[in-house]
Amino acid sequence: MYRNIKEKDPNFKFECTVDSNNRLENIAWSYASSIQAYEIFGDAVFFYATHRLTALDMPLEIWVGVNNYGVPCFFGCALLREENLRSFSWALKAPQTILTDQNMCLKEAIAMEMPATKHALSVWMIVVKFPSWFNAVLGEHYNEWNAEFFRLYNLESIEDFELGWRDMVNSFGLHTNRHIANLFALRMQWALPYLRSNFLAGMTTIVHSKQLMLSLKDF
């Protein structure tokens, strides 16, 4: 199918690997318009690696970004036999900044294949987990805590963020909460005070992150 597409469009690109039994293992592809978009807007990329095609029982990886109007644009896709370090390393292409979900294999692959690329975490993919993480713990104080989290997230100063985070933990009695501890440990990858020196194409704002995630339903 990909060879047929390439015959009609020479600028269409695809790559694949085969295993020791000569069976298709991984395949990545991108259309001519997507390649052109990546050349212009590919400095900051969101790598979505949490969708799985049920029919093929294979993970579908999608590269997306935003253009100069803030509109999501598609860069490329990959189907991987397995979500492991080797597969991610093969699939990843290096931009200035890459945003992902929390995935240890993906984190290792980015560090290995893109040592000069800033790896940030998608705040939207963190925020959507908050109700399941904190509703029961915080009860009627959940909305108050949620508002404080976003206030801290948008601060300018790293010092103000860290002081504010400590006060938030004390105020809501979250000293032993593992999700809070994990978020703080990863703060340099998601909190804006630590990321403002990196080009992120607006993909760290909640509105744009949500818009980007909703656009993936069309791919």
Side-chain angles (χ1 to χ4, degrees), residues 62-88:
I62 305 174
W63 289 266
V64 291
V66 294
N67 63 20
N68 55 323
Y69 297 105
V71 177
C73 51
F74 167 75
F75 294 143
C77 279
L79 281 169
L80 306 179
R81 177 74 60 83
E82 295 179 10
E83 286 186 303
N84 55 35
L85 181 58
R86 176 173 174 269
S87 294
F88 282 134

Side-chain angles (χ1 to χ4, degrees), residues 123-124 127 150 153-154 202-211:
V123 68
W124 177 250
V127 168
F150 285 115
Y153 172 76
N154 285 291
M203 290 190 286
T204 52
T205 66
I206 297 298
V207 173
H208 281 163
S209 296
K210 183 177 180 179
Q211 182 184 24

Side-chain angles (χ1 to χ4, degrees), residues 9 16 23 41 59 72 97 104 114 125 136 183-184 203 211:
D9 181 3
C16 62
R23 296 181 305 172
F41 307 116
T97 308
M104 287 307 297
M114 305 178 181
M125 297 189 77
L183 283 171
F184 188 71
M203 290 190 286
Q211 182 184 24

Side-chain angles (χ1 to χ4, degrees), residues 89-212:
S89 295
W90 174 82
L92 292 169
K93 311 297 179 186
Q96 286 185 26
T97 308
I98 186 167
L99 291 94
T100 72
D101 66 342
Q102 293 172 259
N103 182 306
M104 287 307 297
C105 283
L106 189 52
K107 181 180 179 181
E108 292 178 19
I110 291 170
M112 180 185 298
E113 300 296 324
M114 305 178 181
T117 294
K118 174 64 179 178
H119 181 199
L121 298 176
S122 165
V123 68
W124 177 250
M125 297 189 77
I126 293 173
V127 168
V128 294
K129 299 173 185 175
F130 281 178
S132 63
W133 286 355
F134 300 117
N135 252 334
V137 175
L138 294 166
E140 64 183 10
H141 299 292
Y142 172 78
N143 288 336
E144 182 185 351
W145 172 85
N146 198 48
E148 178 62 8
F149 172 86
F150 285 115
R151 187 189 74 80
L152 296 175
Y153 172 76
N154 285 291
L155 288 174
E156 295 286 336
S157 163
I158 291 175
E159 182 180 2
D160 288 345
F161 173 87
E162 296 193 353
L163 289 173
W165 189 272
R166 183 187 64 189
D167 291 341
M168 177 267 290
V169 170
N170 291 333
S171 297
F172 293 93
L174 295 170
H175 303 86
T176 60
N177 186 279
R178 63 185 178 89
H179 297 301
I180 287 292
N182 187 50
L183 283 171
F184 188 71
L186 296 171
R187 63 193 182 281
M188 288 184 283
Q189 288 185 276
W190 62 263
L192 282 184
Y194 300 90
L195 296 173
R196 293 194 185 278
S197 62
N198 301 101
F199 178 69
L200 297 160
M203 290 190 286
T204 52
T205 66
I206 297 298
V207 173
H208 281 163
S209 296
K210 183 177 180 179
Q211 182 184 24
L212 198 61

